[in-house]
């Protein structure tokens, strides 16, 4: 019972809304759709049982997740929230593939850079010979 | 009715399994858990209504998704399959962040490479002077 009005659940089920009604804190009378959709998919009796099995502090989250699932089932009567799970899993596979490509490309570039640095080092080591050539060439030109 | 035995649903609900029982094709008697979990979460009456609203060819998929959802709710009575959705969404956010970092790093490296190539080009343009030095040196040495 919220503010004198029966909660959305008791209104829909046409029963007296008791002071300790288990639905009342989560299904206010001003949002009748919230209970209607949960009732259509799970049934009031099942929702009641599910809430009874949970401590008070977890019930609001449980109701939110039931409402989410029920709306997903309404939008997609074949796959419901499993359709969303499947879509997200595909998105994850695509992202993992894109990430693997990007990381492989980075690895390739890093290896090229290391090879290039190593070659640079070889050139540095051989630089005296080019210096030798430069100093030797006049001698060669003037035997 | 499958092979003379009532289907798992009719067995659990203790009713006669008709020849055209809507549950029979999807809830065989050898897998009683499959119907039990769906019945516990959604209720046989709701599952019946949901299947009635779907064409035959979509019912098997609908049953599979309901079984998946019901099992998720059994494992996680507070969040059910919404908990899986939330977990997957977090994974997507992390992957998108990792991908953004990898792509930013690739962009950085490519810009560095382009800058380096541009500098190389500048060196190439100036290379005739070093060539000039090389050809000029004998003349300088032999005035």
């Amino acid at each position: 019972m919220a503010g004198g009005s029966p909660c959305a659940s008791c209104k829909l089920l046409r029963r007296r809304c008791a002071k300790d009604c288990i639905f009342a804190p989560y299904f206010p009378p001003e949002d009748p759709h919230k209970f209607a959709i949960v009732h259509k998919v799970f049934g009031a009796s099942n929702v009641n049982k599910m809430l009874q099995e949970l401590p008070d502090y977890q019930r609001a989250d449980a109701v939110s997740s039931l409402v989410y699932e029920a709306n997903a089932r309404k939008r997609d009567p074949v796959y419901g929230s499993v359709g969303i799970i499947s879509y997200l899993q595909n998105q994850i596979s695509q992202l993992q593939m894109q990430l693997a490509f990007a990381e492989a490309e980075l690895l390739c570039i890093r290896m090229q850079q290391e090879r290039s640095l190593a070659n640079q080092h070889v050139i540095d080591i051989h630089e005296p010979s080019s210096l030798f050539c430069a100093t030797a060439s006049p001698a060669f030109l003037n035997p």
Side-chain angles (χ1 to χ4, degrees), chain A:
Chain A
M1 198 74 146
S5 294
C7 74
S9 328
C10 293
K11 218 168 176 177
L12 189 88
L13 302 171
R14 290 177 189 184
R15 64 183 193 185
R16 197 179 62 83
C17 192
K19 208 178 167 185
D20 60 347
C21 169
I22 196 165
F23 295 127
Y26 318 109
F27 299 105
E30 57 273 18
D31 187 3
H33 170 78
K34 194 178 170 188
F35 182 74
I37 186 71
V38 158
H39 175 50
K40 188 179 186 308
V41 174
F42 297 97
S45 161
N46 282 348
V47 176
N48 189 336
K49 274 185 225 157
M50 288 189 236
L51 294 181
Q52 292 277 9
E53 285 168 11
L54 293 172
D56 266 16
Y57 74 95
Q58 289 190 310
R59 290 181 184 173
D61 280 355
V63 166
S64 295
S65 73
L66 289 169
V67 171
Y68 184 99
E69 267 186 64
N71 278 313
R73 180 65 53 184
K74 192 188 167 196
R75 276 195 307 272
D76 181 351
V78 181
Y79 299 103
S81 57
V82 180
I84 300 169
I85 289 173
S86 174
Y87 171 78
L88 294 176
Q89 281 172 335
N90 281 341
Q91 216 182 324
I92 285 173
S93 295
Q94 282 179 11
L95 281 167
Q96 281 172 332
M97 210 168 63
Q98 282 175 274
L99 185 62
F101 272 116
E103 280 174 347
E105 206 174 337
L106 273 171
L107 191 70
C108 246
I109 291 174
R110 278 189 200 120
M111 281 169 74
Q112 276 172 359
Q113 280 180 333
E114 273 171 32
R115 212 178 300 140
S116 161
L117 271 173
N119 287 345
Q120 187 65 40
H121 184 62
V122 169
I123 289 166
D124 288 350
I125 287 167
H126 289 286
E127 239 177 31
S129 73
S130 57
L131 194 69
F132 172 72
C133 283
T135 51
S137 55
F140 167 78
L141 284 168
N142 310 298

